[in-house]
Amino acid sequence: MDAEVVSLPPDEGSVAGPEWSDDGPGETHHHSRAVPHHSRAVPHHTEAETHDHTPAETPGAPDETRDAPDQAQQDARELAARFEEEKPGRVLAGGVGFLFTGVTVAVGLLTLWQVFFPLAQGSKYYLIFFLAGVLPMVFLAYPSGVRLRRTKADTADADTDGVHDRRGPTPVDWLLALAALLVCLYPVLPVAIGAGGGGYDAFLDRQGLLDPLDVAFGTGLLLLLLEACRRTTGWILPAVCVLFLGYGYYGGLLPQAWPVAHAGLDFGQLVDAFYNSDSGFYGTPLDVAASYIVLFTIYGAVLDLSGAGRFFVELSAAAFRRSRTAAGRTAVASGFLLGTVSGSGAATTVSIGAVTWPILRRAGYPAERAGGMLAAAGVGAILSPPTLGAAAFIIAEYLGVSYLQVLGWATVPTILYYLGILLSVEIDARRSGVRPVVIDTGSAWRLLARFGYHFLSLLVIIVVLALGASAMRAVVIATAIAALLSFLDRRHRLTPARLVAALRDGVRGVLAVSAVCAAAGIITATTTKTGLGPQAAALLIDGAQAVSSEPAVVLALTAVLAAVALSLLGLAVPVTASFVIGWVIIGPALLNLGVAAPAAAMFVFYFAVLSEVSPPTALAAVAAAAVTGGRLVPTMWQTLRYALPAYLIPLAFVITPTGLGLLGIGGVGRIATAGLVSALGVAVLAVAAGGWLPGVGPAGVPERILGAVAGLVLLWLEPLPMAIGAALAALAVAGVYVRRGAAGHAGRPAVEKSVDLGEEKEWDGSTRG
């Protein structure tokens, strides 16, 4: 079959053709989100822009009615915003926009200053000012969504572009913003008000003995944080926080024979734990948001404006342009490259889908299968070094290790994850009769020679971390280098105005996650005060021990129960909150069973992240279905098939000591054994799920069942299970060979049908694969 030549979608501003200008990849402001939104939130521009996007449009499909690349860029951003856990925000213009820009830029500059010249009063003092800067902006940037009367004009203003609310802040919003500023700054208020106030030192001295005025202001901050979370993420997280608050207050009324009963806390004690302790509002989650995440979002905004996102996508297309599976490989490679600078699964899915879906469609991929591939590749954004999701920074803080160590723990699982996706791509290309395409792009080497400098800042992060510097300094240095390198492309130079935009967008991208992290203090403080963590861990272990008393079985059952609980939790709350809750509730159970702290933390991290692809929410899969126009439920199942290794590998490094090798722990022998055996397990599972053995031919139901069992057994990284798994895998392969020989002897060619193209392809089993 002759390969069809396709080009990257012209409405995305692609210049990936035979001729590349030295001025860079076109004048487009790239739609590809290179912003590491660890909150999985797309920062929305504050300019008053006009958008023509409608839900019926397919991003990336040629549309001659739009000739401005900026429109295509904005369309992709808006589509991503529909499927983020963060709710869409307002478009702020005029004086409000100017105020918003000024405050967010000030917060960004304070964050940068704190890296090199920390405030003498300590990190909590800095967090007070950081929260005082971002929390009021939440009420200006995000509408309440509650209106007693809704006029036709309100509806038109709120839904002009289908995403953003174009009405300005209401008087209630301004009142809440002012209240947020006051309650946040109260702990550092230098003026004494009765027995309250008196400055930061006086406030700390009253820890455990708060004045009624302290309790009043703390209650105000509690309520405002719940409202901020409701505006940015919906009702579920505030409801969870209220549930923990109720448990802290009423838990003393529970029968004391119950494992979760406690002595009881009065309201003042709870507010003291939230407002004036290191485990409450100003605890580790907010510290991570204010010290790490905001710096990475600023870095991502700088990369975005410098043209790095589009370069990564076009480099992926150029690298595989003449491969039979060029379309699928391009989608997966684009997801990985964008994932190195993005912590947003849905946003990365939309970014790569906008460019690669037209190519996948031309190649003959059914919409659902292509959507599953895009979603699985996109969610790898939160799993891929060097910029993991927010929870990875929390892991570093909780365990007292460097961020570089966390990156090391994530490296092998990331490789195995993308190995599984790539194998599935190869299998699908053969089983579905995918049409070969040649992507019309320039040479990958020419691209690297001209624009390869975009990789430099990423390498700088790793090098600076390896030299012993903090992650904060590493990312600031990388940001400065990315800004300087932008002047190598005159169309994307970071002028002062564009630097201000990068600071603004970077800080806006962290508004929602800051509210979530501060509210997570309600959960952590309540758990600490009541001892809920050890009690819940004991219940989880008791449930496993009710089935078996064998230690290995108890550990495996506990891990499976924990995985189910974390997956369900992730359906309801954002990744960061899901990790925090999972760590304080489920983490102790794994630790009590002898699981190493790194393995337990990464286990919780992976299953918190997998909410992006777990039905029935599966935001990344929903976003992919919107891009491809595929049916939603089949797209979700295809996503699960592609993302299968991400569900199984965490179990592997928890249930056996050898599994620590998957985290790079335990010496060369253990690491090599764990990596190679797990790679074999992932490969066998990909064959079982896809129903095809590359290079041989189709696998029947018996071979697929054998392969599935073999893959699962291989991931139990102990000598006997590994031997059994290898034997079962060999039997499955032998069965495929026997089936191929029988088909060839009978003279019956295997017939496959391309769902999208609607034509039958006859494949000779002797040459297929």
Side-chain angles (χ1 to χ4, degrees), residues 87-475:
K87 289 187 173 182
R90 289 187 174 108
V91 173
L92 301 175
V96 179
F98 184 79
L99 172 65
F100 182 87
T101 298
V103 173
T104 51
V105 168
V107 171
L109 293 175
L110 173 63
T111 303
L112 295 172
W113 178 271
Q114 176 72 6
V115 172
F116 298 99
F117 306 100
L119 299 179
Q121 294 88 343
S123 63
K124 185 175 179 179
Y125 189 77
Y126 160 67
L127 294 179
I128 289 172
F129 283 100
F130 177 84
L131 191 60
V134 299
L135 186 58
M137 295 301 101
V138 170
F139 297 106
L140 300 184
Y142 294 89
S144 68
V146 177
R147 297 186 73 84
L148 298 179
R149 280 177 44 185
R150 190 176 182 87
T151 66
K152 292 183 178 180
D154 289 335
T155 302
D157 288 342
D159 201 32
T160 300
D161 60 8
V163 176
H164 299 297
D165 191 325
R166 296 186 172 280
R167 295 164 299 189
T170 66
V172 173
D173 295 329
W174 285 105
L175 183 62
L176 291 176
L178 179 61
L181 181 65
L182 291 176
V183 298
C184 287
L185 290 180
Y186 171 76
V188 296
L189 186 69
V191 179
I193 305 175
Y200 182 60
D201 291 337
F203 179 74
L204 293 183
D205 289 341
R206 294 195 296 274
Q207 188 174 33
L209 297 170
L210 292 189
D211 184 76
L213 188 62
D214 299 332
V215 175
F217 274 93
T219 303
L221 182 54
L222 169 66
L223 296 175
L224 288 167
L225 283 173
L226 293 177
E227 169 61 10
C229 286
R230 186 196 66 80
R231 290 187 178 214
T232 55
T233 65
W235 285 98
I236 296 179
L237 180 58
V240 172
C241 291
V242 170
L243 182 64
F244 273 82
L245 179 63
Y247 170 72
Y249 188 74
Y250 292 107
L253 301 179
L254 296 174
Q256 291 302 303
W258 288 14
V260 295
H262 59 86
L265 300 168
D266 63 38
F267 190 73
Q269 290 175 305
L270 288 170
V271 172
D272 178 76
F274 302 153
Y275 199 34
N276 201 357
S277 77
D278 293 334
S279 63
F281 301 143
Y282 304 108
T284 297
L286 182 61
D287 191 15
V288 165
S291 302
Y292 297 99
I293 301 173
V294 65
L295 294 174
F296 276 89
T297 56
I298 293 172
Y299 167 61
V302 168
L303 277 181
D304 188 35
L305 291 174
S306 69
R310 181 66 185 192
F311 162 70
F312 290 149
V313 175
E314 294 189 343
L315 179 63
S316 301
F320 303 113
R321 61 194 175 116
R322 297 191 182 279
S323 166
R324 174 178 180 174
T325 53
R329 290 182 183 180
T330 297
V332 176
S334 299
F336 174 73
L337 290 176
L338 286 178
T340 61
V341 293
S342 172
S344 172
T348 305
T349 297
V350 170
S351 294
I352 61 177
V355 177
T356 61
W357 162 235
I359 303 171
L360 293 168
R361 183 177 58 220
R362 293 281 186 89
Y365 278 93
E368 292 78 15
R369 187 164 294 168
M373 181 194 307
L374 293 172
V379 82
I382 319 178
L383 304 174
S384 303
T387 54
L388 304 174
F393 296 96
I394 299 178
I395 289 174
E397 291 295 313
Y398 279 166
L399 300 187
V401 299
S402 70
Y403 181 61
L404 183 62
Q405 275 191 272
V406 180
L407 294 183
W409 298 339
T411 299
V412 175
T414 298
I415 293 172
L416 293 173
Y417 179 72
Y418 280 102
L419 171 65
I421 297 177
L422 284 171
L423 287 172
S424 296
V425 167
E426 298 295 324
I427 290 169
D428 286 348
R430 288 155 175 79
R431 188 182 183 195
S432 301
V434 169
R435 174 186 299 174
V437 297
V438 174
I439 303 175
D440 184 18
T441 65
S443 163
W445 294 110
R446 291 183 63 192
L447 272 175
L448 279 173
R450 178 62 183 89
F451 302 107
Y453 60 81
H454 286 301
F455 286 112
L456 185 59
S457 63
L458 294 170
L459 295 176
V460 164
I461 292 178
I462 303 298
V463 171
V464 174
L465 286 173
L467 293 175
S470 67
M472 295 181 292
R473 294 200 173 202
V475 72

Side-chain angles (χ1 to χ4, degrees), residues 458-618:
L458 294 170
L459 295 176
V460 164
I461 292 178
I462 303 298
V463 171
V464 174
L465 286 173
L467 293 175
S470 67
M472 295 181 292
R473 294 200 173 202
V475 72
V476 170
I477 294 171
T479 303
I481 289 175
L484 291 174
L485 291 175
S486 71
F487 286 87
L488 295 176
D489 180 357
R490 69 183 182 204
R491 302 180 192 275
H492 299 94
R493 292 172 180 168
L494 287 180
T495 61
R498 301 183 82 204
L499 282 174
V500 167
L503 283 172
R504 178 201 63 210
D505 289 350
V507 174
R508 177 156 189 165
V510 84
L511 292 183
V513 75
S514 297
V516 168
C517 287
I522 299 171
I523 297 166
T524 56
T526 301
T527 303
T528 302
K529 279 284 188 181
T530 61
L532 177 61
Q535 295 164 346
L539 286 175
L540 191 63
I541 295 173
D542 288 344
Q545 288 177 336
V547 177
S548 173
S549 59
E550 177 65 31
V553 176
V554 170
L555 177 56
L557 288 175
T558 302
V560 170
L561 291 173
V564 172
L566 288 166
S567 298
L568 293 175
L569 180 64
L571 301 180
V573 298
V575 168
T576 305
S578 179
F579 174 81
V580 171
I581 298 171
W583 180 247
V584 299
I585 300 296
I586 294 172
L590 298 175
L591 296 175
N592 289 345
L593 291 174
V595 176
M602 294 300 289
F603 176 91
V604 175
F605 169 71
Y606 271 86
F607 280 101
V609 168
L610 287 173
S611 62
E612 285 269 18
V613 292
S614 297
T617 54

Side-chain angles (χ1 to χ4, degrees), residues 668-689:
V668 176
R670 175 188 281 181
I671 295 171
T673 300
L676 292 175
V677 173
S678 297
L680 176 60
V682 167
V684 174
L685 286 169
V687 171

